[in-house]
């Protein structure tokens, strides 16, 4: 079974600075999907960014980018120019290429604080 | 386009009771899945429905069940509630395809006393 590990329970960043959230995963599959979701106090899980394992290029969405290291099974999220609205829980998630597409395996999350 | 709607937002029940939670997916999304979120276990997959059929089920006891209607709306039911069932229950919908992301609702916070 796949596992996802987020080793940083909490992180803090100053507004306008850059922060990197770590995620590692364990799998024997070669083709899979990885996601970062954000959960603000409203509780809704919001997709931040996604990466297909077969793509070597790192995904980017505006201020959010990933560093995908397939051999190391690492999938970190970089947030540039941090804003107060970025404060939330961030979850890394893995989706297997087999089975149902709706089954994600989540990490335990990293709580991000953004300070002035 | 309206997002995923879950009702109710909060629910308080007593041990032994049963509860039904509702989820309306994004229009056009036929896949609906449910997740349980607790501080101890994190986010865990409960089950997925597509075209009124359960396609996959997580490692939960039979007290947890669900169904999907012809309009893709879904309900999940928990019978004989236990204190450990207190959690945030999140519903997500998606289009077909492995690359389709899940779109989550705001969840239903269930408290069992």
């Amino acid at each position: 079974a796949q596992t996802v590990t987020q080793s940083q329970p909490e992180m803090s960043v100053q507004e306008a600075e850059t922060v990197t959230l770590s995620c590692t995963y364990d799998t024997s599959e070669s083709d899979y999907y990885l996601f970062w979701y954000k959960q603000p106090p409203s509780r809704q899980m919001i997709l931040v960014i996604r990466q297909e394992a077969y793509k070597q290029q790192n995904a980017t969405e505006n201020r959010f980018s990933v560093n995908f290291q397939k051999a190391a099974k690492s999938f970190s999220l970089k947030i540039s120019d941090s804003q107060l609205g970025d404060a939330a829980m961030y979850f890394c998630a893995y989706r297997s290429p087999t089975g149902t597409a709706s089954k994600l395996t989540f990490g335990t999350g990293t709580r991000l604080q953004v300070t002035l | 386009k309206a997002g995923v709607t879950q009702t109710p937002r909060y629910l308080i029940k007593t041990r032994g009771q049963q509860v039904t939670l509702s989820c309306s997916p994004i229009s056009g999304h036929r896949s609906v899945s449910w997740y349980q979120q607790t501080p101890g276990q994190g986010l865990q997959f409960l089950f997925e429905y597509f075209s009124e059929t359960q396609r996959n089920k997580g490692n939960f006891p039979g007290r947890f069940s669900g169904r999907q209607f012809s309009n893709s709306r879904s309900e999940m039911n928990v019978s004989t509630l236990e204190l450990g069932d207190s959690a945030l229950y999140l519903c997500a919908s998606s289009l077909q395809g492995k690359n389709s992301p899940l779109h989550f609702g705001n969840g239903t916070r269930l408290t069992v006393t």
Side-chain angles (χ1 to χ4, degrees), chain B residues 90-108:
Chain B
L90 291 163
C91 170
S93 74
S94 69
L95 294 167
Q96 268 280 69
K98 293 290 172 112
N99 197 29
S100 298
L102 299 188
H103 299 268
F104 286 85
N106 286 355
T108 293

Side-chain angles (χ1 to χ4, degrees), chain B:
Chain B
K1 206 180 242 190
V4 177
T5 304
Q6 290 188 248
T7 55
R9 287 212 72 186
Y10 299 92
L11 209 47
I12 300 175
K13 290 287 186 179
T14 304
R15 266 181 305 176
Q17 288 185 314
Q18 75 164 19
V19 66
T20 299
L21 312 182
S22 180
C23 172
S24 293
I26 291 173
S27 178
H29 287 192
R30 293 165 62 192
S31 172
V32 174
S33 53
W34 290 86
Y35 285 80
Q36 182 196 63
Q37 185 176 20
T38 60
Q41 299 298 317
L43 282 146
Q44 293 186 288
F45 173 79
L46 277 157
F47 31 63
E48 181 205 7
Y49 285 87
F50 181 83
S51 291
E52 303 178 63
T53 302
Q54 187 181 88
R55 290 208 296 196
N56 202 351
K57 185 171 166 47
N59 190 23
F60 280 83
R63 300 185 297 105
F64 291 81
S65 63
R67 60 177 175 168
Q68 187 180 33
F69 302 94
S70 58
N71 62 358
S72 294
R73 191 178 70 84
S74 176
E75 289 180 348
M76 70 162 278
N77 184 78
V78 188
S79 62
T80 320
L81 283 166
E82 300 176 0
L83 294 178
D85 297 334
S86 295
L88 178 66
Y89 290 89
L90 291 163
C91 170
S93 74
S94 69
L95 294 167
Q96 268 280 69
K98 293 290 172 112
N99 197 29
S100 298
L102 299 188
H103 299 268
F104 286 85
N106 286 355
T108 293
R109 171 80 64 191
L110 171 66
T111 302
V112 182
T113 63

